């Protein structure tokens, strides 16, 4: 059977509350991107609709991909996990040969070649969700052991981290490590050893921090992370000015001053600052609540999945969104040093949006198969209860007849 035919037999209804929330976030994101980008688009590219037109096109393609993914059995992905991993390794190697953008080689892009750029790390995030979930399920009976439950699932991460280091892409490295670690922790990997591993992980983060501090571009960001406003870098200063200018209810949609080329990356990593400036504290809270609801819905889908693989997939995808939202908001509010992590569904970026919407399709399929499995269990329990009740009803007149015959 094809993956589509198999999925039709095992899927229930769509989770409409999840879809409604996702639709609101996506529309909200497009609206804020247009508001944040039309000045930059006009002054840099001569087209006020430059960013929003590209993002809208990617949204349409992404929604189609989401619908298709929601119709395919997610177990089909396990067949291609290893191939996908080696493809990601090859793509990460290709990236190192490409022309740099902003001093980094993070995109498959060559100057003069009229093709859209592809950010490979966005593909790697999902691949590591698939790979970690696959390994955890393959060695399910041994996942409480130190090697099979903790060390072995982390081995595929090593080549990824090394290649990302040479781009360099420090924020992507942290994010992919956290996504993988979240699946291991929530999936019960390592058993009791996970407690000790968490301590070692904290030490590893400290060592990584000290090592990264020697990388020039990372060192610059760490040096300019301060509570002293005058010591902050320009980008963070403008971000805080945007947030402060918004006050409680903002300056009004489209009225941001910082997006007039004062705030760098206002269409991408710092779009949340524009949200705060135009919609104020109230608008920022709405965005946070929408994402919090989406994350809780993802956890609920994971809890109701039909099997362990579906649970781990849903947890990994949800963890990606949760960590990205956390880091993005932490950066724009100066709660941590500046990193290049986008705000899901809001920031411009075709590869990121396509991958996110595709992952939402996988999450939908996990939810639909979980709903069908739950309905089947309830039907089986009802049938068993009916059979037991019917058996008891037949047993009563039979016993009475035996007593009369004995008399």
């Amino acid at each position: 059977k094809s993956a589509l035919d198999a999925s039709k037999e095992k899927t229930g209804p769509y989770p409409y509350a999840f879809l409604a929330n996702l639709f609101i976030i996506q529309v909200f994101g497009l609206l804020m991107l247009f508001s944040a980008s039309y000045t930059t688009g006009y002054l840099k590219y001569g087209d006020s609709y430059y960013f929003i037109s590209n993002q809208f096109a990617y949204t349409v393609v992404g929604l189609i991909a989401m619908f298709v993914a929601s119709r395919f059995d997610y177990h089909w992905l396990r067949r291609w996990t290893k191939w996908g991993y080696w493809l990601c390794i090859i793509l990460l190697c290709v990236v190192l040969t490409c022309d740099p953008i902003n001093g980094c080689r993070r995109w498959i892009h060559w100057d003069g070649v009229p093709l859209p750029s592809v950010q490979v790390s966005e593909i790697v995030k999902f691949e590591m969700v698939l790979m970690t979930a696959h390994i955890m399920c393959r060695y399910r009976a041994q996942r409480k052991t130190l090697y099979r439950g903790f060390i072995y699932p982390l081995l595929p991460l090593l080549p990824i981290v090394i290649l990302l280091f040479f781009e360099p892409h420090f924020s992507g490295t942290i994010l992919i490590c956290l996504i993988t670690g979240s699946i291991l922790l929530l999936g019960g990997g390592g058993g009791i050893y996970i407690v000790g591993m968490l301590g070692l992980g904290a030490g590893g983060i400290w060592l990584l921090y000290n090592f990264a501090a020697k990388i020039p571009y990372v060192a610059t960001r760490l040096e300019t992370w301060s509570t002293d406003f005058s010591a902050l870098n320009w980008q963070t200063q403008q971000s805080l000015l945007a947030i402060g200018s918004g006050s409680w209810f903002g300056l009004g949609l489209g009225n941001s001053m910082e997006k007039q080329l004062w705030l760098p990356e206002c269409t991408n990593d710092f779009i949340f600052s524009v949200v705060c400036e135009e919609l104020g504290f109230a608008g920022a809270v709405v965005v946070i609540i929408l994402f919090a609801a989406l994350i809780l819905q993802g956890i609920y889908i994971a809890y109701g999945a039909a099997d362990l693989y579906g649970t781990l997939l849903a947890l990994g995808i949800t963890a990606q969104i949760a960590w990205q939202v956390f880091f993005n908001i932490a950066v724009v509010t100066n709660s941590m040093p500046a990193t290049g992590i986008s705000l899901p569904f809001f920031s411009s970026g075709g590869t990121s949006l396509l991958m996110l919407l595709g992952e939402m399709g996988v999450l939908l399929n996990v939810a639909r198969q979980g709903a069908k499995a739950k309905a089947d269990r309830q039907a089986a329990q009802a049938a068993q209860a009916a059979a037991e009740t019917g058996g008891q009803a037949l047993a009563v007149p039979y016993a009475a007849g035996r007593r009369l015959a004995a008399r």
Side-chain angles (χ1 to χ4, degrees), residues 103-125:
C104 299
R105 290 182 170 87
R106 301 178 183 177
W107 296 266
I108 294 181
H109 163 82
W110 290 278
D111 293 337
V113 179
L115 292 174
S117 59
V118 177
Q119 189 168 10
V120 180
S121 60
E122 297 296 333
I123 303 173
V124 173
K125 291 174 189 175

Side-chain angles (χ1 to χ4, degrees), residues 58 70 142 160 163 205 228 233 246 251 270 301 323 379 390 402 406:
Y58 282 117
S70 72
Q142 300 170 275
I160 300 292
L163 290 170
I205 292 174
D228 181 4
N233 61 36
L251 303 177
F270 282 78
I301 290 172
W323 284 118
R402 290 290 298 270

Side-chain angles (χ1 to χ4, degrees), residues 139-161:
Y139 300 103
R140 179 175 183 173
Q142 300 170 275
R143 73 178 191 273
K144 299 295 184 182
T145 64
L146 177 60
Y147 178 70
R148 290 297 188 188
F150 190 84
I151 297 175
Y152 187 73
L154 291 179
L155 292 180
L157 191 61
L158 293 178
I160 300 292
V161 170

Side-chain angles (χ1 to χ4, degrees), residues 109-250:
H109 163 82
W110 290 278
D111 293 337
V113 179
L115 292 174
S117 59
V118 177
Q119 189 168 10
V120 180
S121 60
E122 297 296 333
I123 303 173
V124 173
K125 291 174 189 175
F126 184 49
E127 171 56 34
M128 287 310 300
V129 171
L130 296 176
M131 178 60 76
T132 310
H134 169 72
I135 293 174
M136 292 285 287
C137 289
R138 182 177 180 181
Y139 300 103
R140 179 175 183 173
Q142 300 170 275
R143 73 178 191 273
K144 299 295 184 182
T145 64
L146 177 60
Y147 178 70
R148 290 297 188 188
F150 190 84
I151 297 175
Y152 187 73
L154 291 179
L155 292 180
L157 191 61
L158 293 178
I160 300 292
V161 170
I162 293 171
L163 290 170
L164 287 174
F165 170 78
F166 286 108
E167 291 189 4
H169 196 355
F170 187 64
S171 58
T173 302
I174 293 176
L175 188 57
I176 291 171
C177 290
L178 285 172
I179 293 170
T180 304
S182 297
I183 298 174
L184 291 178
L185 180 63
L186 298 174
I192 191 63
Y193 299 104
I194 197 70
V195 179
M197 292 302 106
L198 289 174
L200 290 177
I205 292 174
W206 181 81
L207 290 174
L208 184 62
Y209 175 86
N210 285 276
F211 176 74
K214 299 178 182 179
I215 304 173
Y217 90 99
V218 177
T220 300
R221 295 183 177 185
L222 292 176
E223 290 170 359
T224 56
W225 181 44
S226 171
T227 56
D228 181 4
F229 184 82
S230 61
L232 297 173
N233 61 36
W234 174 265
Q235 192 174 36
T236 306
Q237 285 181 341
Q238 299 306 312
S239 174
L240 294 179
L241 286 172
I243 295 171
S245 300
S247 189
W248 287 101
F249 300 104

